[in-house]
């Protein structure tokens, strides 16, 4: 049960039922007692149209500079509907205070429309702009429990982060948020964009899916990347860029009649796979999957891993193989082969005469350094290595 105060009241009713509809105007205040010592639930507005059942509000429509407050949650909008039995509110309309707005836990939401489940802190919103604020006190730090949503560990924990999208589904008690449609997350110079961005506080993960791309601020400098999916696992301190692998498809040829005749079924070749890509001080890296392994604290890179169809372009060198590990501490690259195809490193060199040539080294495992010209070749106790110089195009045309 709640109480309502206002400057004026108009009401209608039915015999034996008392008041069934009411209209309150001017300095309206609706109040419900908070549960278990919590603050009261209070709604203020300029107008309230309420449907009554058994002398209790069953449906309420607030208009005019509406504000909503209860323990841990606040909201404002030009209009708000409230259904006490369902324990939900819906916000819409723009006024001098701006669009509908909700603040709960560490997340603030501005959107064209917002629906809130008050019991479990569920939010559905359209045309969303949100901010994630740093946690305070004992709750601060990555992976803290207790519901709500914290800033992903990939970002700075003492600065606000922003996420915009076409829609948001937020589950406060579970610490989960799903942004759909042109989703963009940013903090300072760090940006992640994708069709969808999902945050999961319990798993400590961020997943950007669909045409995902990023600019990350790392200790080695800015790093740009792209893939079908970008995933961050806070417990492993691991950023993974994944490409797309498309299998062949089987279909009927023109004029086919299925199993009864016509052109036999044909197998179409798979479309070219889209590899993941990462560019930064370590060079331009492309592979089916790329991993950045971070140190336990900060955005210090420990190593990079590249898996399947690996191509690295570093200054005048191009390395191609099946597997790559880059150790940031000494800027060392270790590239290995799988199957019968060797690893190759090709370096463009210009002679004193101006002639351009390529020095090509191949083997099962090649180790080289960013700032050194030497390449260590592991022949695996067999004569599987070769170094040769051959003509090649200048770097600008390759």
């Amino acid at each position: 049960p709640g109480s309502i105060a206002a400057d004026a009241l108009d009401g209608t009713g039915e015999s034996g039922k008392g008041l069934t509809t009411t209209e309150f105007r001017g300095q309206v205040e609706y109040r419900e007692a908070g549960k278990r010592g919590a603050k009261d639930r209070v709604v203020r507005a300029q107008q309230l149209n309420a449907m009554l059942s058994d002398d209790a509000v069953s449906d309420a429509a607030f208009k005019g500079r509406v504000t909503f407050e209860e323990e841990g949650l606040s909201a404002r909008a030009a209009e708000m509907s409230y259904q006490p039995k369902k324990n939900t509110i819906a916000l819409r309309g723009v006024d001098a205070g701006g669009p509908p707005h909700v603040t709960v836990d560490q997340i603030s939401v501005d959107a064209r429309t917002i629906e809130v489940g008050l019991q479990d802190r569920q939010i559905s919103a359209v045309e969303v702009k949100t901010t994630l604020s740093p946690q305070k006190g004992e709750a601060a730090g990555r992976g803290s429990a207790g519901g709500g949503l914290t800033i992903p560990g990939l970002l700075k924990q003492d600065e606000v982060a922003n996420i915009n999208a076409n829609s948001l589904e937020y589950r406060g008690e579970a610490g989960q948020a799903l942004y759909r449609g042109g989703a963009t997350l940013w903090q300072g110079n760090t940006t992640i964009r994708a069709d969808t961005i999902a945050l999961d506080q319990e798993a400590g993960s961020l997943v950007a899916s669909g045409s995902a791309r990023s600019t990350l601020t790392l200790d080695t400098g800015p790093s740009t990347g792209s893939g079908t999916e970008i995933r961050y696992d806070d417990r492993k301190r691991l950023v993974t860029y994944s490409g797309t692998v498309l299998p062949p498809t089987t279909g009927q040829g023109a004029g086919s009649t299925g199993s009864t005749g016509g052109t036999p079924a044909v197998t179409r070749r798979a479309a070219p796979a889209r590899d993941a890509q990462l560019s930064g001080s370590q060079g331009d890296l492309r592979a089916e999957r790329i991993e950045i392994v971070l140190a336990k604290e900060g955005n210090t890179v420990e190593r990079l891993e590249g898996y399947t169809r690996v191509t690295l372009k570093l200054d005048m060198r191009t390395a191609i193989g099946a597997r790559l590990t880059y150790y940031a501490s000494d800027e060392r690259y270790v590239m290995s082969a799988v199957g019968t195809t060797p690893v190759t490193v090709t370096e463009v060199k210009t002679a004193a005469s101006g002639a351009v040539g390529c020095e090509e080294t191949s083997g099962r495992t090649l180790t080289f350094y960013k700032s050194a010209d030497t390449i260590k070749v592991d022949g695996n106790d067999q004569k599987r290595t070769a170094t040769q110089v051959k003509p090649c195009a200048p770097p600008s045309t390759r």
Side-chain angles (χ1 to χ4, degrees):
S3 63
I4 303 173
D7 293 339
L9 165 65
D10 290 328
T12 60
E14 298 179 16
S15 177
K17 293 185 178 181
L19 286 174
T20 55
T21 61
T22 57
E23 180 180 329
F24 297 86
R25 298 185 304 275
Q27 303 300 317
V28 177
E29 181 182 280
Y30 174 89
R31 183 179 294 270
E32 291 181 9
K35 296 181 179 180
R36 300 175 183 175
K39 294 181 181 179
D40 289 351
R41 176 177 293 176
V42 181
V43 184
R44 295 182 174 91
Q46 294 303 303
Q47 181 179 331
L48 165 60
N49 295 324
M51 302 292 294
L52 303 179
S53 177
D54 297 326
D55 295 327
V57 176
S58 60
D59 199 344
F62 296 87
K63 296 182 180 180
R65 301 194 301 274
V66 183
T67 62
F68 177 99
E69 293 182 3
E70 71 171 17
E71 189 78 29
L73 186 148
S74 63
R76 69 167 187 268
E79 301 179 14
M80 186 190 84
S81 63
Y82 172 45
Q83 294 184 304
K85 289 185 178 180
K86 292 183 178 180
N87 210 15
T88 62
I89 59 174
L91 310 170
R92 61 185 181 275
V94 179
D95 59 14
H101 172 89
V102 171
T103 298
V104 57
D105 301 317
Q106 282 71 50
I107 184 171
S108 295
V109 181
D110 290 278
R112 182 165 62 85
T113 62
I114 306 175
E115 297 181 359
V116 183
L118 299 170
Q119 179 66 33
D120 50 8
R121 297 296 198 251
Q122 294 192 17
I123 297 176
S124 297
V126 176
E127 296 179 14
V128 180
K129 296 180 179 180
T130 67
T131 60
L132 295 177
S133 300
Q135 287 191 321
K136 299 179 181 180
E138 295 181 358
R142 297 196 307 269
S144 58
L149 200 66
T150 58
I151 296 173
L154 181 63
L155 306 177
K156 295 179 180 179
Q157 297 299 295
D158 58 352
E159 295 183 12
V160 168
N162 306 272
I163 312 178
N164 294 353
N166 292 340
S167 67
L168 164 66
E169 295 293 330
Y170 172 70
R171 302 291 178 263
E173 289 190 344
Q176 298 176 344
L178 177 61
Y179 294 85
R180 298 180 183 271
T184 302
L185 179 153
W186 77 95
Q187 182 193 69
N189 294 325
T190 293
T191 305
I192 298 175
R193 294 182 173 90
D195 294 339
T196 65
I197 294 178
L199 307 181
D200 189 327
Q201 171 66 14
E202 183 177 353
S205 66
L206 178 156
V207 181
S209 303
S211 300
R213 53 204 185 279
S214 70
T215 299
L216 304 182
T217 303
L218 305 173
D219 70 313
T220 54
S223 179
T224 61
S226 63
T228 302
E229 178 186 273
I230 301 173
R231 180 181 294 268
Y232 170 69
D233 188 322
D234 191 56
R235 295 176 181 176
K236 296 180 179 179
R237 297 288 285 155
L238 183 68
V239 185
T240 303
Y241 295 79
S242 300
T244 303
V245 180
L246 300 176
T249 58
T250 301
Q252 297 290 334
S256 67
T257 57
S259 59
T260 59
T263 306
V266 296
T267 299
R268 301 183 180 91
R269 290 183 178 180
R274 177 188 176 187
D275 287 333
Q277 178 268 336
L278 184 68
S279 294
S281 62
Q282 79 287 337
D284 182 80
L285 176 62
R286 297 174 187 271
E288 184 177 305
R289 188 172 88 253
I290 300 171
E291 296 178 350
I292 304 175
V293 182
L294 300 173
K296 292 182 179 180
E297 297 295 335
N299 279 6
T300 300
V301 177
E302 289 189 346
R303 68 181 190 276
L304 301 180
E305 304 282 358
Y307 301 87
T308 312
R309 297 192 305 274
V310 180
T311 299
L312 172 70
K313 294 184 178 180
L314 178 66
D315 300 326
M316 295 295 179
R317 283 171 284 184
T318 300
I320 299 175
R323 180 79 167 79
L324 169 70
T325 299
Y326 166 73
Y327 299 92
S329 59
D330 56 358
E331 297 184 323
R332 173 167 47 102
Y333 300 81
V334 179
M335 184 171 279
S336 58
V338 172
T340 59
T341 304
V343 178
T344 61
V345 174
T346 304
E347 184 171 1
V348 179
K349 294 190 174 182
T350 304
S353 62
V356 177
C358 285
E359 183 179 86
E360 183 178 283
T361 304
S362 62
R364 301 299 302 166
T365 302
L366 302 183
T367 302
F368 53 96
Y369 295 82
K370 181 179 179 180
S371 58
D373 292 332
T374 59
I375 298 178
K376 180 180 179 181
V377 181
D378 182 1
N380 198 24
D381 297 328
Q382 296 185 39
K383 190 176 181 180
R384 295 184 179 179
T385 66
T387 298
Q388 56 181 324
V389 177
K390 59 183 180 180
C392 64
S396 60
T397 60
R398 297 184 76 245

